[in-house]
Amino acid sequence: MISPVFAAEPTDIYLTPSPTAWQQVAPLCSRSSRRWMAQIHQLCLDAVLQWLRTDYPRAIATPINQVSYWEFVDGCAVELDRTTHPLRLVFIPSTALDTSELRVAQEWVDLPSWVGHCYLPVQVEPDDGWMRVWGFVTHRRLKQQGVYDAGDRTYAVTAEQLIQDMNVLWEAYELCPQELAQVPLAALPPLSLAQAENLIARLGSPEIVLPQFELPFAQWGALLEHGGWRQRLYQRRVGLPEQWSVRQWLTVQVSQLAEQAGWERIEVGSMAGARGSGDRTSSVLLSRSLHIAEQSYQLQIFPEGAMEQNIWRFELRRLPTSAETDSPSIPQGTKLRLLTEDLQPFDNNEATAQTTVDRLYIVVALTPGEGLVWEVEPTPEGYQREILRF
């Protein structure tokens, strides 16, 4: 069982972030109120991860824990195990003194890629330096017994409807995880590229305080679930220039947001693993480390021929472990896939390992400014869609 840092009541979990955590750099948001809440979310996330890892060292923050999410929606998510024994906990931090009910944004309940198994309210007292986890509710109970408020698009349960003994959660997770099963959700209708462009242009104005209420939830959810479109909307609202230009990354430097996502610019001569990678004439390439099925991989992107020809090679390689003496191979069935910005396939957009292979690659000729989304199967840890602009 997880042990709290200290507990004034048997059913409450009190957490104490480190004193320096309260002095973190303010994230970039469109409004001061969202910047403040983004700081609160980061504090909450750091504290609950530290708490959970005492008993579940594999607990990780999900990709839905960045300022580009907190610009729009309150909540942060942690997964105790995302493979053999998955459990996603969604923490809802609040500085409100009223703890008579828990309100959860619809995005956390009805978006298939966001939904949690359990939702936990966290009362945060930044002035006194503590936070309190005061119960939980399962997705099924929130969906079926919670009150949906169309005005603010939240599901609400009263404090009495929460399960306040956290030991119930850990026992269910260990002994009968089916009790925590989510209610099945249907995928939202996809947006076309033209629809997304129009919405990003319209909602990108920071003068629109709550962009999610400017359109039906199905459209908003589809826009938000596409990681590349969510990033573009966030960038537009905070006034950032283009962050995902592969050409700029190669010729100038990788943008800060891309670095945070894991991209780096590498001089070819400095990387032994780059030998024999094709007809490369460029002296630099872009590389991103991936973790797939407990193995380390690299996704590389570089131009084939002169950059002006706009012919690009995407190449996936597995990195050797310390115990391997032979060249590492990619398992049979692994897939590397490219999609258009609105997630449509095209001719020869996918490479599949029919047997074990040393690399998977796709070569594409693009028009200037065209955007692509990459995918790998099995899905890398922490993967979220991004639109690379060429």
Side-chain angles (χ1 to χ4, degrees):
M1 299 299 171
I2 291 179
S3 302
V5 176
F6 65 87
E9 299 293 338
T11 56
D12 290 344
I13 304 296
Y14 280 78
L15 306 175
T16 53
S18 67
T20 57
W22 300 96
Q23 303 165 5
Q24 296 181 77
V25 176
L28 183 61
C29 293
S30 63
R31 310 181 76 83
S32 59
S33 58
R34 293 315 305 169
R35 189 178 308 120
W36 165 247
M37 282 309 298
Q39 288 179 291
I40 294 296
H41 281 75
Q42 189 62 60
L43 287 171
C44 175
L45 180 63
D46 293 345
V48 299
L49 272 175
Q50 182 180 10
W51 164 48
L52 293 171
R53 283 173 176 164
T54 58
D55 286 86
Y56 297 97
R58 293 167 62 91
I60 59 170
T62 74
I64 315 176
N65 286 302
Q66 298 177 7
V67 66
S68 64
Y69 290 93
W70 297 331
E71 165 74 13
F72 308 110
V73 183
D74 286 332
C76 48
V78 172
E79 291 175 337
L80 298 194
D81 188 327
R82 60 183 312 166
T83 53
T84 57
H85 199 180
L87 181 71
R88 174 178 287 192
L89 305 177
V90 178
F91 294 86
I92 310 296
S94 170
T95 56
L97 297 177
D98 182 5
T99 56
S100 60
E101 66 175 7
L102 167 65
R103 302 183 79 85
V104 181
Q106 187 177 3
E107 288 86 344
W108 288 113
V109 184
D110 288 336
L111 292 185
S113 64
W114 285 46
V115 64
H117 294 87
C118 294
Y119 302 83
L120 303 91
V122 183
Q123 183 184 12
V124 182
E125 286 289 348
D127 292 337
D128 296 330
W130 58 266
M131 53 187 68
R132 177 173 71 108
V133 184
W134 50 281
F136 77 94
V137 62
T138 65
H139 180 257
R140 182 173 299 279
R141 193 165 182 175
L142 182 60
K143 184 80 174 169
Q144 296 179 344
Q145 299 182 18
V147 176
Y148 176 70
D149 185 337
D152 63 1
R153 286 184 182 165
T154 59
Y155 287 85
V157 289
T158 64
E160 289 73 25
Q161 289 176 295
L162 293 175
I163 301 172
Q164 296 184 340
D165 186 349
M166 295 295 294
N167 288 330
V168 175
L169 171 57
W170 312 129
E171 289 175 1
Y173 178 54
E174 299 291 350
L175 303 176
C176 44
Q178 67 276 11
E179 295 292 327
L180 306 177
Q182 301 154 330
V183 176
L185 300 173
L188 298 178
L191 293 176
S192 68
L193 180 56
Q195 286 177 304
E197 294 281 3
N198 289 335
L199 291 175
I200 291 170
R202 180 160 65 92
L203 304 179
S205 169
E207 300 301 318
I208 299 178
V209 178
L210 298 170
Q212 56 267 52
F213 300 127
E214 298 290 321
L215 65 168
F217 179 78
Q219 285 189 331
W220 169 251
L223 186 69
L224 210 61
E225 275 204 309
H226 190 306
W229 288 340
R230 189 203 67 254
Q231 277 284 356
R232 287 185 57 198
L233 178 59
Y234 164 73
Q235 291 166 204
R236 183 74 66 93
R237 290 179 62 82
V238 300
L240 287 175
E242 173 62 60
Q243 298 287 304
W244 302 95
S245 168
V246 170
R247 286 173 176 272
Q248 288 184 11
W249 295 355
L250 282 174
T251 56
V252 184
Q253 64 179 8
V254 176
S255 69
Q256 185 177 4
L257 286 182
E259 279 188 338
Q260 292 172 359
W263 286 104
E264 59 179 332
R265 184 175 181 271
I266 294 179
E267 297 287 339
V268 175
S270 67
M271 190 178 69
R275 291 194 299 269
S277 294
D279 300 323
R280 183 189 308 111
T281 58
S282 173
S283 60
V284 295
L285 57 80
L286 298 170
S287 175
R288 176 171 174 157
S289 297
L290 304 176
H291 204 59
I292 305 171
E294 300 186 347
Q295 299 289 339
S296 297
Y297 287 75
Q298 253 185 0
L299 178 63
Q300 300 176 0
I301 302 176
F302 52 87
E304 285 215 329
M307 196 182 302
E308 293 72 22
Q309 295 176 322
N310 223 18
I311 300 174
W312 298 86
R313 183 183 183 103
F314 289 69
E315 188 167 292
L316 181 69
R317 292 166 170 263
R318 189 169 76 77
L319 300 179
T321 65
S322 58
E324 288 178 312
T325 55
D326 297 330
S327 297
S329 58
I330 295 175
Q332 181 181 8
T334 304
K335 295 181 179 180
L336 172 63
R337 181 184 306 117
L338 301 179
L339 300 169
T340 62
E341 184 172 340
D342 54 348
L343 308 181
Q344 299 303 307
F346 52 87
D347 290 342
N348 302 315
N349 73 314
E350 184 172 296
T352 303
Q354 302 299 334
T355 61
T356 56
V357 295
D358 64 346
R359 58 186 171 178
L360 280 177
Y361 67 90
I362 302 172
V363 178
V364 288
L366 302 172
T367 56
E370 189 169 356
L372 286 180
V373 174
W374 63 270
E375 293 182 347
V376 173
E377 287 185 15
T379 303
E381 290 183 8
Y383 172 78
Q384 48 185 335
R385 290 194 177 108
E386 54 191 17
I387 301 169
L388 303 180
R389 194 75 59 190
F390 293 86

